Amino acid sequence: MIAWILFGLVVAYLVLDTLRLRGRASQVRVLPAASGDSEDFQSFPAELPADVRQSAIEFARTEDLGLVDLVPANLPTVAALDLLNQVDPKTYRGDRWIRGTSAGEAILYSRKAVDKLDIKDPADPTEFVTVARRVKDREGVSVDLAVAPTLPANPYDLSTRKARLRKYGKRPALSTVASVIGYLAVLGATLWTWPWGLIAAGLYSLQPLLVFAGTPLRPKDLWLTSVFRAVYQPYLWIRTLSGTWRTEAEIQQEKDLLASAPSYRDEIERGTDRFFEPRRESCPTCGAVQLERIVRSVDLVQRKPGEFTMDRCVSCGHVFQNPRLSTAGLDFYYRDFYDGHGASAAEAVFAGKPDPYYDRAKMIVPFTTPRNWLDVGAGHAHFCRGAKEILPDTRFDGLDQGASIEDAVTLGWITESYRGNFKDFADQLRGRYDVISMHHYLEHVRDPWDELDIAADTLSDGGYLLIEVPDPEWRLGRLFGKYWMPWFQPQHQHMLPIENLKKALAERGLRPVAEERGKAHLCNDFVLSSYLFLASIAPRSPSPWRPAKPKLKALRSAAVWSVGIPWLIVAGLLDKTVNQAIAKRTDRGNAYRVLARKESS
């Protein structure tokens, strides 16, 4: 019985996956035949075949595109499948939140679209993705891909695939493990339900042919990779994982890593105790002395050395890091997280689904239509980018300490940027904004009450302050312990229960007028906690503060993630069922929002 269930699941998955990929392959636009040229457009490579360039210019003009990624019709099967797994042509152009991508062969873009973006000609195939991503992120610029029938595909070196997958935002080892699991499932279904299992084997082998036959994409090695897929796939895994080719960006990153390693090593050798202030014996909110330890953790994300403790006040419920990091400690643990070594990973996280950004903006709609909105702790300004879709007539500005806030102006996500601390700009910001927001900001600061004072002083009379923070009262936070992502040590300094925050707001003349708890919840506790647990056993790639992994650790990592991927699938199902049900039944979640109005003086 189990064998037949496996057979049914395998066949169903193969059919659905084939239909999904075939649908995408069928929807890729094809460049029209055209003539004429224009100096308004540049391309890479600079010398495209004349008919390809002319057709691409015509397509860009007709469709009002700032960039067109040109996909050879005979793109090799592996590259074509990787591209289709990365992008859905039906939604790619219209959805601003889908990240830019590329087949890595050729691009055409308008000079206007790339003005001030500091675009450089791609140095290797992966850099086409960088260019497409950068241009697609620009406000008011449309990007698409199209098949160029007469453009010949470059030879595809499988030793580069590992780096190409990394650029797509995938982890090659995890992708390979998932492929192996699928292969073994097909093999098991074939053997256990013989001869009916040959249906599963046939579907698996012929999937590339079924995907591309009759579509604009006609990979030159399609028949070869289809007929011999059963033996080609293991070969592909080996070639992918053994690939040592690196992009120029990765080579430069490794040089930067090596350059910064001695500095990190010196700091670590001096010990991490010096990064902490003396332990508090009383609650910073109410002064009560009865404290309980609820979290003892290490840095589970960056894996920098040190241990961190979060205490909870038994009297008022305030949760805070104790002992607290000093300013020097915060500098050490924040370094290379949002910028430098970790910049690309941080940006990828914020560039995810925009629904939370929409929900935050919608919370203000029943009360006012803002003219000027300041987002404090804006990061890369993704919230402002999303909020503009809800409030198109509102001017959004952003404040943050990172360089990304200045780039947000270039991309058109905000009108004006302020780089530094909120306190540094308080005087010049006073009275300029009718809405100020702080989304997942207060938990990071050393003194949230001081930040509320500044916000109350800066805000115009009758203006609104919107705050979203993690909810320390969420029951799954205790269940998952240190692996609950919102504890996020060592960055999170204070976790305020909602009643404490509302009281603090009222004391500053900010009257709470609305709150959202269950609606602010993100159903990801099981997945993120599981991921942190697995990553603690098998950490990510080397960092300046952590040396390269020995071979035995690399083998352990492969074993852990081989088991971990199926578990993460289960965790995702638990989030969609158990987690969601708890949030809906209790109207609580792992975060909450409070909207407060400043009373007239």
Side-chain angles (χ1 to χ4, degrees), residues 548-558:
K549 296 183 292 185
K551 289 186 177 180
L552 287 179
K553 286 190 176 182
L555 291 174
R556 182 181 68 181
S557 178

Side-chain angles (χ1 to χ4, degrees), residues 107-225:
I107 50 174
L108 178 122
Y109 50 87
S110 72
R111 296 178 185 274
K112 183 179 178 180
V114 303
D115 183 44
K116 298 180 181 179
L117 291 185
D118 192 28
I119 294 294
K120 297 180 176 62
D121 285 344
D124 56 60
T126 67
E127 288 305 304
F128 286 90
V129 178
T130 301
V131 173
R133 190 170 290 168
R134 181 77 170 149
V135 176
K136 193 173 189 298
D137 279 346
R138 188 165 207 171
E139 191 76 15
V141 176
S142 294
V143 169
D144 207 347
L145 45 81
V147 171
T150 60
L151 179 67
N154 293 312
Y156 190 89
D157 183 352
L158 288 178
S159 67
T160 68
R161 184 169 182 258
K162 191 175 183 179
R164 292 177 188 241
L165 290 176
R166 286 196 297 264
K167 193 63 180 184
Y168 278 152
K170 300 180 181 297
R171 297 187 68 177
L174 298 188
S175 299
T176 301
V177 167
S179 180
V180 171
I181 291 173
Y183 186 93
L184 293 177
V186 172
L187 181 61
T190 303
L191 296 176
W192 293 343
T193 59
W194 186 273
W196 292 101
L198 288 173
I199 296 174
L203 279 173
Y204 182 80
S205 292
L206 298 178
Q207 186 185 37
L209 187 62
L210 296 173
V211 166
F212 293 113
T215 72
L217 291 169
R218 301 182 298 277
K220 52 188 174 184
D221 58 349
L222 181 59
W223 279 96
L224 182 67
T225 53

Side-chain angles (χ1 to χ4, degrees), residues 282-286 291-296 309-322 442-446 448-449 470-474 478 484 486-489 492-498 500 592:
S282 61
C283 173
T285 296
C286 68
L291 307 176
E292 62 172 346
R293 178 183 297 171
I294 61 169
V295 177
R296 188 170 185 83
T309 301
M310 298 200 80
D311 286 348
R312 176 181 178 274
C313 174
V314 175
S315 176
C316 73
H318 182 77
V319 177
F320 61 103
Q321 189 183 73
N322 195 20
L442 281 183
E443 67 269 26
H444 288 265
V445 300
R446 288 169 55 78
W449 304 276
D471 191 344
E473 298 176 306
W474 178 233
R478 289 292 189 97
W484 187 52
W487 293 134
F488 200 31
Q489 290 302 287
H492 286 181
Q493 307 281 289
H494 295 276
M495 307 273 277
L496 285 72
I498 191 169
N500 289 15
Y592 66 80

Side-chain angles (χ1 to χ4, degrees), residues 434-587:
D434 41 2
V435 175
I436 294 176
S437 57
M438 297 174 169
H439 302 124
H440 292 273
Y441 169 77
L442 281 183
E443 67 269 26
H444 288 265
V445 300
R446 288 169 55 78
D447 189 337
W449 304 276
D450 188 38
E451 300 291 326
L452 293 178
D453 287 336
I454 299 170
D457 180 60
T458 303
L459 199 61
S460 302
D461 287 346
Y464 291 85
L465 176 63
L466 175 59
I467 293 174
E468 179 176 306
V469 290
D471 191 344
E473 298 176 306
W474 178 233
R475 60 183 63 185
L476 292 183
R478 289 292 189 97
L479 175 65
F480 293 127
K482 67 181 181 181
Y483 297 109
W484 187 52
M485 179 61 85
W487 293 134
F488 200 31
Q489 290 302 287
Q491 292 196 20
H492 286 181
Q493 307 281 289
H494 295 276
M495 307 273 277
L496 285 72
I498 191 169
E499 294 303 323
N500 289 15
L501 178 60
K502 290 194 294 184
K503 180 181 177 182
L505 291 169
E507 290 172 349
R508 290 159 176 80
L510 298 163
R511 178 173 58 88
V513 295
E515 64 182 69
E516 292 179 351
R517 303 195 72 171
K519 194 172 182 180
H521 177 62
L522 295 177
C523 288
N524 56 21
D525 296 298
F526 282 91
V527 166
L528 292 182
S529 297
S530 299
Y531 181 84
L532 285 180
F533 173 72
L534 292 167
S536 69
I537 303 173
R540 299 185 306 177
S541 55
S543 302
W545 52 89
R546 191 176 66 249
K549 296 183 292 185
K551 289 186 177 180
L552 287 179
K553 286 190 176 182
L555 291 174
R556 182 181 68 181
S557 178
V560 167
W561 289 105
S562 295
V563 176
I565 288 179
W567 169 247
L568 288 173
I569 294 173
V570 173
L573 294 174
L574 291 174
D575 273 327
K576 294 295 184 183
T577 53
V578 175
N579 194 349
Q580 196 169 59
I582 295 173
K584 187 173 292 187
R585 187 175 67 249
T586 62
D587 191 29

Side-chain angles (χ1 to χ4, degrees), residues 44 89 95 167 200 204 210 219 289 293 350 383 402 471 548 564 599:
F44 189 86
D95 192 334
K167 193 63 180 184
Y204 182 80
L210 296 173
V289 296
R293 178 183 297 171
F350 294 126
F383 161 72
D471 191 344
E599 301 296 337

Side-chain angles (χ1 to χ4, degrees), residues 91-112:
T91 58
Y92 178 64
R93 183 196 304 188
D95 192 334
R96 301 164 63 233
W97 295 90
I98 295 176
R99 307 189 81 194
T101 193
S102 172
E105 296 282 338
I107 50 174
L108 178 122
Y109 50 87
S110 72
R111 296 178 185 274
K112 183 179 178 180

